[in-house]
Amino acid sequence: MSQKAVRKLVGDIFSYNSFRSEFSEKEINNNYESLMQHFSKATKNWNQEINTTWVARDYLAIKMILSASVMLTSVEYANKKNLRIVEPYPVYYTLLNCARAVAFTSPKIDWNNGELVTMTHSKIINVVSDIISSFNKEKGNTIKILLEKARDYRELFSYKFPANGINDYAIKIEDAIENCRLLAEIAQFQSELLEKSHDKNVSTLYELDWEFLRVGYEYEGTHYTFLDDEDWYRLNYISRKQKRPYGLYLTMSEGMVEDFFGAWCTREDIDDQDDIYNPDENWRIIFPVP
């Protein structure tokens, strides 16, 4: 029996909080039907390429949620040390990365030969606000304004750097956490519906295309290219043990989460130094990771 099956059997299922408090049952049910129709178009025509694409999309969405968690706990630690100078940057990118998790898991946005990965910030903000507006138009507009405000505030310090430091225009860390939780839960909801649609319509278990999966472990810039061993290891594990998309929560393993956060502070660092940033202290800040 697979790890996913065992977790389901023992009742280890995702519990929605922000999602169900923000949207009514009617809004959720209406989107349930719409999203299932979108996903069925893929699952009824399932093949190796589609399978690999969605496994990669879910993995990238998971990393967006985990990275947002690291940045938010870093901001909390920095504020305790009066290092507020770092705040405008991670606060914006936490919100943006959680928005990207929504985009990665949405059946309404095509992979488009990998352009989804390099989508501009403006387009991410627009498409994600549209996705949320399909649940509740007012909330979609609120998220859009929040993301645009966070981006503007980051750019103040990138280009002009106001002399009065962090001011009242700043996004409060509590608001960032609250909205990141909602975005992460929307991403989880979408990924769960893909899992359900796959269970209903797909009977063949396909091998993953490793050449395609390079998008998940190869990093290429203008002046650098490198392969990330940890990403490769995790995708290799998924290709051997999972082979298909599951909900984000079930795809996250304890080892995956521990290794991701551990990369930002080793156990030796914690043991040898007092009062050091410890990413393990609040890694469930926006998502109930295993």
Side-chain angles (χ1 to χ4, degrees), residues 5-272:
V6 171
R7 287 174 64 181
K8 284 185 175 182
L9 188 64
V10 300
D12 184 12
I13 59 175
F14 188 84
S15 179
Y16 292 94
N17 294 301
S18 297
F19 183 68
R20 296 200 178 278
S21 64
E22 189 64 51
F23 303 126
S24 68
E25 283 299 315
K26 181 179 180 181
E27 290 168 337
I28 293 172
N29 290 335
N30 286 342
N31 268 274
Y32 179 96
E33 298 299 330
S34 175
L35 289 167
M36 287 297 282
Q37 289 178 13
H38 276 87
F39 277 126
S40 69
K41 295 175 184 177
T43 56
K44 287 180 178 179
N45 295 284
W46 207 250
N47 56 33
Q48 183 188 39
E49 180 182 358
I50 298 174
N51 185 59
T52 305
T53 299
W54 277 104
V55 167
R57 289 178 67 153
D58 283 353
Y59 181 71
L60 293 170
I62 286 170
K63 291 210 299 178
M64 293 300 100
I65 292 172
L66 296 180
S67 67
S69 303
V70 169
M71 286 188 281
L72 282 169
T73 56
S74 296
V75 172
E76 287 188 326
Y77 178 81
N79 283 348
K80 291 177 184 177
K81 302 299 178 182
N82 195 31
L83 287 173
R84 295 197 68 200
I85 192 171
V86 305
E87 187 177 305
Y89 304 94
V91 165
Y92 170 61
Y93 284 106
T94 58
L95 290 162
L96 183 74
N97 282 4
C98 287
R100 293 185 74 201
V102 173
F104 281 134
T105 55
S106 172
K108 300 178 181 179
I109 305 176
D110 292 333
W111 178 254
N112 201 16
N113 294 320
E115 289 185 11
L116 175 56
V117 180
T118 57
M119 188 182 292
T120 65
H121 292 198
S122 293
K123 190 168 183 180
I124 292 167
I125 292 171
N126 287 330
V127 299
V128 169
S129 67
D130 287 343
I131 290 170
I132 298 170
S133 291
S134 68
F135 288 92
N136 181 285
K137 189 172 183 179
E138 182 179 351
K139 188 60 181 180
N141 188 53
T142 299
I143 288 286
K144 182 176 183 179
I145 292 171
L146 179 69
L147 281 159
E148 290 176 336
K149 180 179 177 181
R151 181 180 58 185
D152 288 349
Y153 197 64
R154 179 213 62 177
E155 291 181 353
L156 281 178
F157 290 87
S158 297
Y159 297 102
K160 291 187 175 181
F161 212 99
N164 68 348
I166 304 294
N167 56 46
D168 292 339
Y169 189 70
I171 304 295
K172 294 181 179 179
I173 184 68
E174 295 81 8
D175 291 338
I177 292 170
E178 179 183 344
N179 283 279
C180 281
R181 284 175 179 158
L182 176 62
L183 291 167
E185 290 190 13
I186 292 173
Q188 167 64 22
F189 180 70
Q190 292 178 150
S191 70
E192 270 194 9
L193 298 196
L194 173 59
E195 179 185 339
K196 289 178 183 292
S197 185
H198 184 282
D199 289 345
K200 179 180 179 181
N201 296 321
V202 182
S203 57
T204 302
L205 197 59
Y206 292 93
E207 296 296 324
L208 299 182
D209 180 351
W210 262 100
E211 185 59 31
F212 181 94
L213 285 179
R214 293 179 73 90
V215 69
Y217 66 88
E218 182 177 64
Y219 298 84
E220 184 175 359
T222 304
H223 302 293
Y224 68 87
T225 298
F226 70 91
L227 305 180
D228 188 283
D229 292 340
E230 182 62 29
D231 281 321
W232 183 91
Y233 174 80
R234 291 301 163 193
L235 285 167
N236 182 53
Y237 180 88
I238 290 171
S239 73
R240 289 183 292 107
K241 301 293 186 178
Q242 181 173 317
K243 299 183 185 296
R244 50 155 288 188
Y246 283 90
L248 304 186
Y249 177 69
L250 283 181
T251 301
M252 290 181 183
S253 67
E254 199 170 324
M256 176 193 294
V257 173
E258 288 179 351
D259 290 345
F260 189 95
F261 287 102
W264 297 95
C265 184
T266 67
R267 178 53 55 189
E268 290 75 15
D269 290 334
I270 295 171
D271 293 340
D272 294 343

